[in-house]
Amino acid sequence: MKSAYTFFQLNMDANAGSARPDRKTIEKKRRMHMKSLYARLNSLLPCSKKGVSLPLPELLDESVSYIKDLQKKLEQMKETKSHLAGGMGSEISTITPHLDLREVDGRVGVAIITDARDWSVFYKVVEVIEEEGGEILSANVTIVGNKAFYIIHSLVEEDNSGSETIRVSEKLRNRVKSIV
């Protein structure tokens, strides 16, 4: 009889591996998993200290507050980015670009006053100078309020007639007029 009992017990032990885990084991794993998630959440908070964990209600309150703060900062950064990129909505620039040119000994000096959010005039001037084989020696910008002041010094290779700088200057004037 003893051998039948042992055989029956062995069969039960073999089936134990394929049976579902009991509730205690499932609950214990769930609690361990939740504890690790709370520890991870605690570590993501800026005010958390290593080894010190907040009570669960405080941890959740701090997390919610931190997420709301991050959302506010994100919105402010988006507004700043939009403002810096010139995306001020449908507001139209009220500053008409002003161009002043000086030609001396193969050098062309360009002074531009335009809206601080509008870099297109500056890009067009540089583009024309480079298209004509000129070399930008220096370019400076100063922004005061909603105005931008650009100063560009360039060197244009002269031919014998000395008409290169005049031709570049005329092309610059025409290009700026086409923008306005």
Side-chain angles (χ1 to χ4, degrees):
M1 284 269 237
K2 237 178 186 195
S3 64
Y5 175 74
T6 315
F7 176 76
F8 182 72
Q9 190 178 9
L10 288 175
N11 255 349
M12 291 295 288
D13 292 342
N15 288 338
S18 64
R20 280 183 17 168
D22 63 341
R23 278 191 214 157
K24 282 181 166 180
T25 308
I26 293 171
E27 183 61 21
K28 184 177 181 181
K29 285 183 180 179
R30 186 193 69 79
R31 284 192 314 268
M32 287 173 32
H33 181 67
M34 292 301 290
K35 185 177 180 179
S36 70
L37 290 175
Y38 289 134
R40 185 169 170 212
L41 180 61
N42 189 41
S43 71
L44 293 174
L45 292 176
C47 61
S48 70
K49 296 177 183 173
K50 299 289 182 199
V52 177
S53 62
L54 296 171
L56 185 59
E58 287 182 34
L59 174 66
L60 294 176
D61 284 341
E62 287 290 323
S63 299
V64 168
S65 297
Y66 182 58
I67 290 170
K68 286 181 180 180
D69 287 344
L70 288 176
Q71 287 174 332
K72 286 179 187 176
K73 286 180 184 177
L74 178 64
E75 285 303 315
Q76 289 172 345
M77 288 178 173
K78 283 181 180 179
E79 287 175 16
T80 303
K81 179 182 176 184
S82 173
H83 176 70
L84 292 175
M88 297 292 287
S90 61
E91 190 176 304
I92 298 172
S93 172
T94 57
I95 299 173
T96 304
H98 174 74
L99 179 72
D100 184 29
L101 296 167
R102 307 275 182 212
E103 304 104 9
V104 177
D105 296 331
R107 296 178 188 266
V108 176
V110 183
I112 309 165
I113 302 172
T114 187
D115 190 296
R117 296 170 296 168
D118 184 16
W119 287 70
S120 63
V121 176
F122 173 76
Y123 291 136
K124 293 295 181 184
V125 168
V126 170
E127 184 179 66
V128 168
I129 291 171
E130 289 179 346
E131 282 176 0
E132 296 301 316
E135 179 182 347
I136 305 289
L137 300 175
S138 68
N140 298 306
V141 62
T142 302
I143 297 176
V144 179
N146 62 343
K147 291 182 181 179
F149 300 86
Y150 304 96
I151 306 295
I152 302 170
H153 294 123
S154 64
L155 180 62
V156 178
E157 291 188 22
E158 290 273 337
D159 58 6
N160 291 339
S161 66
S163 62
E164 261 323 284
T165 55
I166 295 169
R167 188 170 57 81
V168 170
S169 298
E170 285 303 314
K171 196 168 184 179
L172 285 171
R173 283 189 184 92
N174 291 336
R175 187 73 64 96
V176 171
K177 284 180 187 175
S178 71
I179 294 171
V180 178

